[in-house]
Amino acid sequence: MSDTWTAADMPDQTGRTAIVTGPTAGGLGFHTALELARRGARVVLAGRSEEKLTDAATAVRTEHPAAELLTARIDLASLASVRSAAGELADLGPIHLLVNNAGVMATPHRRTEDGLELQMATNHFGPFLLTGLLLPQLAASGGGRVVTVSSAMHRVAPGPPLDNPFAAPRLYNPWLVYGQSKLANLLFTHELDHRLRAAQLPVKALAAHPGLSGTHLLANGPRFGGVLQGAVRAMSQSAAAGAWPTLMAATEDLPGGTYCGPARWEVSGPAKVVGSTRMSRDERSQRRLWEISERVTGISYP
Ligand SMILES: NC(=O)c1ccc[n+]([C@@H]2O[C@H](COP(=O)([O-])OP(=O)(O)OC[C@H]3O[C@@H](n4cnc5c(N)ncnc54)[C@H](OP(=O)(O)O)[C@@H]3O)[C@@H](O)[C@H]2O)c1
C-alpha cells in the first residue's frame, strides 16, 4: 500500500451502512461521514446535540444532495444514553461500519453520572458499550468493521488506564488522562480484533489517528483552549485531510488491528499504515482493560 492514500482512493460504498459518532460540522467525524455518503453509503450521524446533527446533515446534503442520511442522538459520556441509542439503532438492520470518532480532549476534572472520569467515559467506556451493543448487527453484515479514532497523544500516556475507574485520582493531569484514553482506544482495538477472530465473527477492528487537524477539539476541552485554537488551526491540516486515515482504515482492504495515520511525520498529509507504542501492544494490558470495561459497562462480548 502506498503512502499517498486520500479520500479520492476510497472504493464505492453503495449498499453499505455506516455509523459515525461525533459528526459535528467542521470536525473529523463530519468529513468522515461526508466522504462515506459521497461514495454511496447510508450514513447515520450519531451525536449528542439535535441542533448540531441537523446542521451536519444539512451541510452534507449541500455538498452531496443525494446523500442517504439518518441521525441518532447519543451522549457517549452516559451509559444509559448509549444503551438507549443502540436500542434505536437496532432498526437499522446490518451495519457494515462503526466509526468511534467522538471524543473530548484534556477536559477539566469531572465525573459523569455513572461516576466515571469524563475523558475515559466519552473516549473509551461509551464506545466500548456502543460497539458491544451493535456487534450482532455488525456481524450480520457479513463483513463488519469497527474503526476507533485514537491519537498520536497515546504516546504521552504514563501507563495503561487500569486503575479503578471509579476511584478519585490522586492527581489529575488532563493531558496525561487524554493520552491514556487514546491509549485505551488502541488497547481496545487490538483486544476486540483478537476476540473477534477467536469467536470467528466476520468483523474486524482497526484504528486511525488524524495527526494535527484544525477542529473544535481544543475549544471544547482544556481551559483557555478557545484561545489556543486559532494558533493550532493555523499550524494544522484541514479536518477534511485529517479524516483520510479514518477513511482508509474504514474502507481499504487491511487486516484487523491495522492503525492508519498521516504519512508526513504522522502530522499531516495522505494516509498510510503507522505504528504505535509497545504499551499499546501489551496483551496483558489489552485483556485487563477489556475486563475492567466489561465490569464498568455491564456488557460482555463477543
Ligand atoms: N483534531 C485533532 O488534531 C485530533 C488529533 C488526534 C486525535 N483526534 C481525535 O479525533 C476525534 C474527533 O475529534 P475532532 O478533532 O474532530 O474534534 P471535534 O471537532 O471537537 O469533534 C468531536 C466530536 O465528538 C463529539 N462529542 C464529544 N463528547 C461527546 C459525547 N459525550 N457524546 C457524543 N458526542 C460527543 C462532539 O460533539 P459536540 O459538537 O456536541 O461537542 C463532536 O461531534 C476525537 O476522538 C479526538 O480525540 C483529533
Side-chain angles (χ1 to χ4, degrees), residues 235-279:
M235 290 166 7
S236 57
Q237 67 173 342
S238 67
W244 292 341
T246 302
L247 290 164
M248 181 181 176
T251 63
E252 269 304 317
D253 185 14
L254 294 165
T258 302
Y259 184 37
C260 297
R264 213 172 295 131
W265 305 102
E266 284 197 41
V267 173
S268 64
K272 67 169 186 175
V273 174
V274 297
S276 61
T277 54
R278 183 186 296 205
M279 225 186 271

Side-chain angles (χ1 to χ4, degrees), residues 64-86:
H64 183 57
E68 198 184 339
L69 298 178
L70 298 163
T71 58
R73 284 286 294 281
I74 186 167
D75 179 355
L76 284 151
S78 155
L79 298 177
S81 170
V82 173
R83 284 190 181 278
S84 135

